[in-house]
Amino acid sequence: MQSLRGTTDILPDEINMWQEIYTKVHELLTLASYNEIRTPIIENTNLFKRSIGNNTDIINKEMYSFQDQGNRNITLRPEGTASIARAFISNQLYINKQLQRLWYLGPMFRYERPQYGRQRQFHQLGIECIGSFSPMADVEVIRLAINILKILQCKTYNLEINSIGNTEERHIFKDKLIEYLIKYENDLDNDSKKRLYINPLRILDSKDIRTQEILIEAPQLYSFLQSNSLKHFNEICEHLEHLNIEYNINKQLVRGLDYYNYTAFEIKTKEIGNQDTICGGGRYDTLIEQLGGPKTPSVGWAIGIERLLIIIKDKLNIEKQGLSTYIAIQGDNNKKYIWKIIEILENCKIKFELDLSNNNLQKQLKKANKSNATICLIIGENEIINKNIIIKYLKTGYQEKIQINNLHQYLYSLKN
Ligand code: ATP
Ligand code: MG
């Protein structure tokens, strides 16, 4: 049996990195007043169609959708923002608080061709600052993305940022872009040809070299921005400069989802080949209203954890475990003592591994040596009669006998 194509098991020896990411992110985001939210993995298909947009890759090609037994159209979430906007509305999170700062980490699903850094089930960490139109909110979230990458030892990245204006500005630009691209229609790659009339902005994102060449002379969305858009964007840039956060303005940058406006940004790295974007985000001022909620300007981003892990897995400094024990036992009559010993270890918060093999003591000690434990606690037949226990230091082989009554004290001082 194999796992489904594009899905992987996260095995016990990798899980410590996931836990480390969770712990560090949790700490940093809690400091900044971001609260974790967990939304369902399945949602109504319509939620994504209405928010991500009908002519996007995600909706056209990548959705994991099915009908449930009640004939409802259901989709495994391809991203987090739409679900959070839905949760914000359906739980009326706007009632008591003007601003919601939320974060999430969980699996997302997209039917894509699996390759290095691209899976069908992958994980995103994301944050959403919901309820502020201020450019400071954009800066707050960008700064947090950078800080998260830094504390996770990801140090070679590029922040690219752009403003994609408001709907009106994009509308005017779209017409101009189509007008320009029609002249080269036959030279465009196939995807771009299809997009020309339905979603021309996405052509700017094309990786095709010829299409890219054609785009060099194309009109730029940036030059259609009016003063409000420009002011918002410039203010963000000023703050980034003040914070010494390096960035490039990438005037071709548009995002693959329809709900963005004004700010769009991506963080890329040179370390993982083609799948080089680890973080994508932007402002979405109309999404919540469009889904039936109150007018609520918002901004957020998502980081792909698997891609991030490719970069950081050898750099993450995971604390070595402290004192740990292996419990070996000799003779059937002593087995009940084990629970007492285990309780002491639990109270001292010392890791333990109980030998369950029923082997002789020698074989158990061999296992103890292989187990990575620091010490082996041996409950021997003679010792129990005298209420003793043997402590064997596995590295040196040194051992000593102590009273079980003193075990708590002994282990406690060993640990500290
Ligand atoms: P790409 O251009 O690589 O397809 P995207 O624009 O579709 O990315 P977003 O929707 O912005 O990606 O998602 C944010 C981040 O989630 C990406 O930057 C990436 O790190 C990660 N991501 C997206 N799709 C996948 C996938 N199929 N497998 C692994 N990570 C992914
Ligand atoms: Mg994609």
Side-chain angles (χ1 to χ4, degrees):
M1 293 287 278
Q2 295 276 320
S3 71
L4 285 177
R5 192 164 135 79
T7 70
T8 51
D9 301 304
I10 303 168
L11 297 173
D13 63 355
E14 302 160 85
I15 209 77
N16 57 356
M17 285 193 272
W18 289 78
Q19 289 163 341
E20 177 82 355
I21 291 175
Y22 182 91
T23 312
K24 290 213 154 130
V25 163
H26 176 246
E27 195 177 69
L28 190 137
L29 291 176
T30 305
L31 268 182
S33 295
Y34 280 76
N35 296 311
E36 185 178 358
I37 181 169
R38 299 186 188 183
T39 62
I41 282 168
I42 49 174
E43 297 275 357
N44 266 320
T45 300
N46 261 340
L47 169 64
F48 301 113
K49 286 198 172 158
R50 280 175 59 187
S51 47
I52 296 169
N54 264 327
N55 298 311
T56 58
D57 282 353
I58 295 183
I59 299 299
N60 283 348
K61 304 191 270 198
E62 299 173 359
M63 296 256 275
Y64 267 98
S65 300
F66 63 96
Q67 274 198 336
D68 75 0
Q69 301 193 35
N71 291 330
R72 297 173 196 91
N73 293 315
I74 307 251
T75 295
L76 299 181
R77 62 181 185 194
E79 55 102 44
T81 305
S83 306
I84 289 187
R86 198 267 311 134
F88 178 83
I89 299 165
S90 53
N91 297 289
Q92 298 185 306
L93 296 185
Y94 42 87
I95 283 190
N96 293 323
K97 242 177 152 185
Q98 278 229 309
L99 201 77
Q100 285 285 343
R101 292 182 165 97
L102 301 170
W103 72 276
Y104 60 90
L105 195 167
M108 306 293 161
F109 304 82
R110 294 186 195 177
Y111 194 81
E112 303 198 64
R113 193 169 66 77
Q115 48 196 295
Y116 195 54
R118 195 178 288 286
Q119 292 173 203
R120 290 182 174 172
Q121 178 177 339
F122 62 100
H123 294 75
Q124 283 184 341
L125 157 72
I127 75 174
E128 316 288 355
C129 180
I130 301 176
S132 169
F133 185 67
S134 164
M136 294 287 279
D138 305 53
V139 179
E140 174 175 299
V141 299
I142 293 174
R143 181 177 169 275
L144 284 169
I146 301 282
N147 281 356
I148 284 173
L149 294 180
K150 269 193 206 151
I151 56 161
L152 294 175
Q153 312 300 320
C154 172
K155 289 179 175 145
T156 46
Y157 50 76
N158 260 323
L159 167 64
E160 294 191 347
I161 179 166
N162 191 23
S163 175
I164 57 171
N166 60 29
T167 319
E168 241 168 72
E169 289 156 348
R170 278 199 303 281
H171 202 81
I172 300 170
F173 167 69
K174 263 185 205 168
D175 289 346
K176 293 278 183 229
L177 184 65
I178 295 174
E179 204 175 284
Y180 170 84
L181 286 174
I182 279 175
K183 292 182 278 184
Y184 304 94
E185 192 168 353
N186 292 331
D187 294 336
L188 294 174
D189 62 279
N190 284 337
D191 272 345
S192 298
K193 270 183 202 147
K194 278 186 229 150
R195 286 174 178 145
L196 186 52
Y197 298 100
I198 47 177
N199 198 353
L201 276 184
R202 294 287 288 144
I203 298 178
L204 303 180
D205 227 10
S206 167
K207 305 258 180 332
D208 183 80
I209 293 174
R210 180 67 191 123
T211 302
Q212 278 300 331
E213 278 170 8
I214 295 170
L215 285 170
I216 294 175
E217 300 276 301
Q220 285 186 333
L221 175 47
Y222 196 85
S223 22
F224 292 82
L225 300 186
Q226 307 279 317
S227 60
N228 278 348
S229 299
L230 285 172
K231 187 164 170 280
H232 198 275
F233 186 65
N234 290 337
E235 208 169 316
I236 295 170
C237 294
E238 276 165 30
H239 280 278
L240 292 177
E241 268 151 46
H242 175 75
L243 286 168
N244 275 330
I245 296 176
E246 274 178 43
Y247 64 92
N248 295 315
I249 297 176
N250 175 357
K251 291 184 179 169
Q252 305 280 48
L253 177 70
V254 285
R255 308 262 310 121
L257 306 94
D258 274 359
Y259 52 64
Y260 286 113
N261 64 288
Y262 279 31
T263 324
F265 59 90
E266 286 186 348
I267 302 178
K268 295 186 177 168
T269 149
K270 294 197 178 70
E271 295 184 48
I272 34 178
N274 282 337
Q275 269 46 262
D276 59 352
T277 309
I278 42 177
C279 175
R283 179 165 272 289
Y284 51 98
D285 293 334
T286 51
L287 175 63
I288 289 173
E289 193 181 12
Q290 189 190 311
L291 292 174
K295 199 170 182 339
T296 314
S298 307
V299 58
W301 50 252
I303 290 178
I305 299 288
E306 281 81 0
R307 284 191 203 169
L308 179 65
L309 269 172
I310 294 176
I311 306 168
I312 64 172
K313 64 171 180 268
D314 299 324
K315 300 180 189 142
L316 261 191
N317 197 3
I318 291 167
E319 260 180 51
K320 297 263 179 309
Q321 63 177 46
L323 183 63
S324 64
T325 60
Y326 195 89
I327 309 172
I329 183 152
Q330 196 181 29
D332 279 340
N333 298 332
N334 302 335
K335 288 197 172 147
K336 291 201 193 78
Y337 278 96
I338 285 173
W339 307 120
K340 179 73 196 152
I341 309 282
I342 285 182
E343 212 179 291
I344 294 173
L345 289 161
E346 284 173 336
N347 285 337
C348 296
K349 296 208 183 344
I350 291 174
K351 191 177 175 225
F352 56 89
E353 183 180 346
L354 174 62
D355 191 293
L356 293 172
S357 69
N358 243 346
N359 285 335
N360 64 31
L361 187 61
Q362 225 174 351
K363 280 195 179 159
Q364 292 186 50
L365 284 173
K366 260 194 191 153
K367 276 204 193 139
N369 276 318
K370 278 193 190 152
S371 75
N372 277 334
T374 342
I375 57 179
C376 183
L377 303 178
I378 305 167
I379 309 171
E381 273 180 300
N382 294 335
E383 281 73 31
I384 284 300
I385 297 168
N386 303 318
K387 302 222 165 16
N388 287 334
I389 185 167
I390 296 174
I391 314 272
K392 178 168 180 162
Y393 288 78
L394 290 165
K395 220 176 182 175
T396 59
Y398 169 77
Q399 61 180 56
E400 62 182 324
K401 203 178 277 184
I402 64 160
Q403 285 272 303
I404 290 187
N405 277 344
N406 294 336
L407 183 63
H408 187 281
Q409 184 61 40
Y410 182 93
L411 291 172
Y412 195 79
S413 52
L414 202 59
K415 193 183 162 200
N416 294 304

